[in-house]
Amino acid sequence: MYTSRTGFIIGFHGTDESIVKAVINGQRELKASNNSYDWLGNGIYFWDNSPSRAMSWAQELSKRKESKIKKPAVIGAIIDLGYCLDLLDYKNLDLVKKGYSILKTSLSKSNIKIPINKGNTTDLLQRELDCAVIETLHKSIKLTGGKEFESVRGVFWEGEELYPNAGFREKDHIQICIRNLNCIKGYFLPLKRITD
């Protein structure tokens, strides 16, 4: 009953300025990501109410050798999460555990090693295990004829501690993965305001 959220949320996506312009002008849609390390599974990723984090991400990506981002920019989206696998809701974490169990069983029957989360920092930014678990859960629901999730939402703790023994990190954020394009109700350019 509470898996469908009420109201709209604002999400921000960091990308190249040319893509922002094309989306705003209705010439294209944002492209869904389907990397094996996308921690919330396949879909279009947004930062929940954080244009600054979206810009930071676009700037980080633009510095990579193979990056297609030449001029970092941010696009805002008005989003209805619809039927959401909200990982901030305690009961949904049980579903993720079941997804892990299904993945582990199916891979062991096929004699395939289970993926692992990895990375150069304790953040383990390449979340191949998490992605496989979430995607396995989605496939399992589809195979059994259950109601498919349209979005996934989760908290990501990332970066250095803000201070010694802190429970907060410098890049903590809530991220949203949109699986159903109909959840995106519109796009906009974020305003740049001069602050005091």
Side-chain angles (χ1 to χ4, degrees), residues 32-55:
S33 180
N34 60 1
N35 298 307
S36 63
Y37 53 80
D38 292 330
W39 74 295
L40 296 177
N42 299 338
I44 302 171
Y45 279 73
F46 294 91
W47 275 269
D48 188 345
N49 212 32
S50 185
S52 58
R53 183 63 184 105
M55 178 56 88

Side-chain angles (χ1 to χ4, degrees), residues 16 18-19 31 61-62 64 66-71:
D16 188 74
S18 64
I19 293 172
K31 185 178 173 189
L61 284 181
S62 73
R64 294 182 184 174
E66 73 285 352
S67 179
K68 294 179 182 176
I69 296 177
K70 304 303 175 211
K71 188 166 184 187

Side-chain angles (χ1 to χ4, degrees), residues 9-15 39 44-58 60-61 74-77 79 156 158 171-177:
I9 63 162
I10 304 294
F12 295 92
H13 182 87
T15 187
W39 74 295
I44 302 171
Y45 279 73
F46 294 91
W47 275 269
D48 188 345
N49 212 32
S50 185
S52 58
R53 183 63 184 105
M55 178 56 88
S56 172
W57 174 251
E60 288 173 34
L61 284 181
V74 172
I75 188 168
I79 300 169
F156 198 99
E158 181 184 359
K171 294 182 182 178
D172 289 353
H173 58 272
I174 295 176
Q175 206 160 28
I176 301 157
C177 175

Side-chain angles (χ1 to χ4, degrees), residues 73-140:
V74 172
I75 188 168
I78 300 162
I79 300 169
D80 176 353
L81 293 176
Y83 189 60
C84 180
L85 177 59
D86 192 343
L87 303 179
L88 282 74
D89 184 344
Y90 181 73
K91 76 172 179 62
N92 287 333
L93 297 175
D94 239 9
L95 287 175
V96 175
K97 263 190 198 176
K98 288 177 186 170
Y100 174 76
S101 180
I102 294 166
L103 175 69
K104 188 175 173 184
T105 300
S106 70
L107 291 181
S108 72
K109 285 180 182 175
S110 305
N111 207 22
I112 298 172
K113 289 176 99 175
I114 196 158
I116 59 169
N117 292 333
K118 57 190 175 209
N120 298 329
T121 66
T122 56
D123 300 327
L124 300 176
L125 295 177
Q126 295 176 349
R127 300 288 184 101
E128 292 184 18
L129 173 60
D130 294 343
C131 183
V133 168
I134 296 291
E135 285 302 310
T136 297
L137 175 61
H138 290 310
K139 287 174 188 160
S140 153

